[in-house]
Every structure is written in structure tokens, then in C-alpha cells.
Amino acid sequence: MAKRGRPPVLDENKKGDIVAIVSMGCSRRTAARYVGCAPSTITYTAKRDAAFAKRLRQAEERSEIDNMKNIQEAAKKAQYWRAAAWILERRNPE
């Protein structure tokens, strides 16, 4: 018997758009606005769809890693010493 009720707000195309947007460093809120849903819809969908949750988490982690690589590259140059200071402050806040 077919499942009745409201169709999911996030189809596979929208999920793909969300993952792509988040992987560029944008927030879930920005991704939600782009696909036309509430940020809570993304969270709710991720809780119900393990594959989407994994893709979303990996996109967020990849973005964080890419940003850290950029900061570390900048920190190697003397004129961008603030990048090195930023890393030290975050890793050793005390």
C-alpha cells in the first residue's frame, strides 16, 4: 500500500542543492532560503534520512577543513601573521 500524506518538502534535487551550498561554507539557514524551506526542515529531514545527514555533515566538515587550510596557507606568509594569531587563539584560548 502506498504511503499517504504530504510529500516531502526536500526532494533529492533540493537535498543536493543544500549539500552543495553548505560545502561552499554557507550556513544551513542560507541553504534553506535558497531551496525555499525553513532551516528546521533541513534538520528534521536529516534526522529522518541518514544518508542525507551523512552528506550534510561531510559537506560541513569539508568546508571547515578547506577554510582552515586557507588560513594556514596565509599564516605561512609574514604579512598575514594575523592568520597565525587567529589559529593560536582558537586552539589555545587560555
Side-chain angles (χ1 to χ4, degrees), residues 45-89:
T45 302
K47 285 180 182 177
R48 295 184 53 149
D49 182 341
F52 174 61
K54 181 179 179 181
R55 289 171 52 208
L56 187 59
R57 186 180 63 255
Q58 287 175 332
E60 290 169 332
E61 290 168 356
R62 185 172 43 251
S63 173
E64 184 177 339
I65 290 166
D66 288 345
N67 287 328
M68 186 56 76
K69 282 183 192 176
N70 290 336
I71 293 168
Q72 287 178 333
E73 274 305 306
K76 291 177 183 177
K77 299 175 184 161
Q79 72 264 33
Y80 301 121
W81 63 269
R82 285 183 183 90
W86 183 90
I87 291 170
L88 288 172
E89 287 173 350

Side-chain angles (χ1 to χ4, degrees), residues 30-43:
T30 298
R33 277 194 307 262
Y34 182 82
V35 301
C37 73
S40 60
T41 301
I42 295 173
T43 302

Side-chain angles (χ1 to χ4, degrees), residues 88-94:
L88 288 172
E89 287 173 350
R90 278 9 172 235
R91 288 191 178 161
N92 302 301
E94 65 284 334

